[in-house]
């Protein structure tokens, strides 16, 4: 948690020190508590049902690569279908 506090400092305008109402821990700036996973996620984007995980700071890059791979697979399948 200390690493997240250093990576995203509070600017005291939009982000001020808060604690999570659900788990009671200090919340870094730009973090939210996921009610599905029941944990706080730094730079929380959304909870993805396809990967059954929260998309946040630690796995956003992998999620974008997952979407790119799915898009390429769908485009290749469409090309195979309509090229014949």
């Amino acid at each position: 948690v200390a690493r997240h506090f250093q990576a995203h400092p509070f600017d005291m305008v939009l982000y001020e020190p808060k604690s999570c109402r659900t788990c009671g821990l200090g919340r870094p700036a730009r973090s939210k508590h996921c009610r599905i996973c029941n944990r706080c996620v730094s730079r929380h984007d959304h909870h993805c049902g396809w990967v059954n995980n929260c998309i946040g700071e630690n796995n956003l890059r992998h999620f974008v690569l997952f979407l790119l791979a799915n898009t390429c697979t769908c485009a290749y399948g469409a090309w195979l279908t309509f090229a014949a």
Side-chain angles (χ1 to χ4, degrees), residues 7-40:
H8 308 290
F10 297 108
D11 61 0
M12 299 305 180
V13 177
L14 294 175
Y15 305 111
E16 51 192 39
K18 295 180 184 175
S19 62
C20 180
R21 290 184 222 150
T22 307
C23 60
L25 298 173
R27 275 188 5 191
R30 300 175 63 186
S31 68
K32 296 208 167 72
H33 188 88
C34 179
R35 60 189 163 124
I36 299 170
C37 293
N38 198 23
R39 61 185 172 134
C40 286

Side-chain angles (χ1 to χ4, degrees):
V1 174
R3 178 176 57 94
H4 296 294
F5 281 114
Q6 292 172 353
H8 308 290
F10 297 108
D11 61 0
M12 299 305 180
V13 177
L14 294 175
Y15 305 111
E16 51 192 39
K18 295 180 184 175
S19 62
C20 180
R21 290 184 222 150
T22 307
C23 60
L25 298 173
R27 275 188 5 191
R30 300 175 63 186
S31 68
K32 296 208 167 72
H33 188 88
C34 179
R35 60 189 163 124
I36 299 170
C37 293
N38 198 23
R39 61 185 172 134
C40 286
V41 179
S42 181
R43 290 183 58 196
H44 188 269
D45 187 34
H46 69 285
H47 184 89
C48 181
W50 287 8
V51 295
N52 194 26
N53 202 1
C54 288
I55 306 303
E57 179 178 27
N58 294 333
N59 61 355
L60 183 62
R61 182 177 299 122
H62 301 292
F63 181 70
V64 171
L65 289 173
F66 170 72
L67 291 179
L68 181 64
N70 281 335
T71 302
C72 291
T73 302
C74 288
Y76 180 66
W79 180 77
L80 286 177
T81 302
F82 296 117

